[in-house]
């Protein structure tokens, strides 16, 4: 069993502050690159949570502002991949480009077990894409999902 790192209470605020500074710096760098070269040329990974249960796996992707018609979901025998192209931008001068919908998104998550791809389901609600897939599919290869 993996041992968790213990953080002294007096250091917790510093760690949270440092993480926020790092996230802000990364966001600012991505924005500068997008403004210089166009956001369509930059790929980002949506944040994801994975919950493994005895008989299934549930994956939650943050995809705020992206309609279900733009999401492409591929489920393989031991992986899930989510992709989308950026939303078209109006012909205006942008000062900020932070929203995820402005970028190409792509994220692939692999598992050490087989998935029943023919029983996979995808739902989109409030900017969160939920994919639920039963485990242990022996003859599966790959399938594409439609968001319900």
């Amino acid at each position: 069993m993996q041992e968790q790192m213990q953080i002294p209470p007096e250091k917790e605020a510093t760690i949270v502050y440092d993480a926020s500074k790092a996230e802000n710096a990364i966001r600012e760098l991505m924005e500068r690159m997008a403004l210089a070269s166009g956001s369509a040329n930059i790929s980002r990974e949506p944040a994801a949570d994975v919950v493994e249960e005895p008989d299934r796996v549930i994956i939650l992707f943050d995809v705020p502002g992206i309609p279900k018609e733009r999401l492409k979901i591929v489920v393989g025998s031991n992986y899930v991949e989510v992709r989308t192209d950026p939303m078209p931008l109006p012909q205006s001068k942008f000062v900020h480009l932070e929203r995820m919908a402005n970028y190409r998104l792509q994220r692939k998550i692999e598992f050490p077990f087989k998935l029943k791809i023919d029983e996979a389901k995808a739902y989109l609600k409030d900017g969160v894409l939920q994919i639920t897939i039963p485990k242990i599919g022996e003859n599966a290869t790959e399938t594409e999902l439609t968001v319900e």
Side-chain angles (χ1 to χ4, degrees), residues 7 14 36 38 44 46 59 77 85 96 128-129 142:
I7 300 170
T14 302
R44 295 182 69 179
I59 308 110
S77 62
D85 287 327
H96 291 290
V128 177
L129 174 64
E142 181 177 286

Side-chain angles (χ1 to χ4, degrees), residues 32-108:
R32 285 183 185 179
M33 290 170 41
L35 290 170
S37 67
S39 62
N41 299 322
I42 299 173
S43 291
R44 295 182 69 179
E45 286 191 342
D49 291 335
V50 178
V51 179
E52 182 182 354
E53 296 180 348
D55 60 339
R56 67 183 181 166
V57 63
I58 301 167
I59 308 110
L60 304 169
F61 289 98
D62 285 344
V63 290
I66 299 172
K68 67 181 185 177
E69 298 80 23
R70 295 188 70 89
L71 292 167
K72 181 169 181 168
I73 305 163
V74 177
V75 179
S77 62
N78 71 331
Y79 69 89
V80 173
E81 184 174 18
V82 174
R83 292 180 290 211
T84 183
D85 287 327
M87 299 291 283
L89 295 173
Q91 296 298 317
S92 302
K93 181 179 179 189
F94 283 88
V95 179
H96 291 290
L97 279 173
E98 291 184 11
R99 297 180 323 110
M100 292 296 279
N102 294 327
Y103 296 89
R104 176 183 324 276
L105 299 181
Q106 184 171 348
R107 178 102 187 239
K108 184 175 183 178

Side-chain angles (χ1 to χ4, degrees), residues 121-139:
K121 302 269 187 228
Y123 307 94
L124 181 64
K125 184 177 180 188
D126 299 331
V128 177
L129 174 64
Q130 177 180 318
I131 302 171
T132 304
I133 313 163
K135 292 166 55 174
I136 311 171
E138 292 302 319
N139 297 321

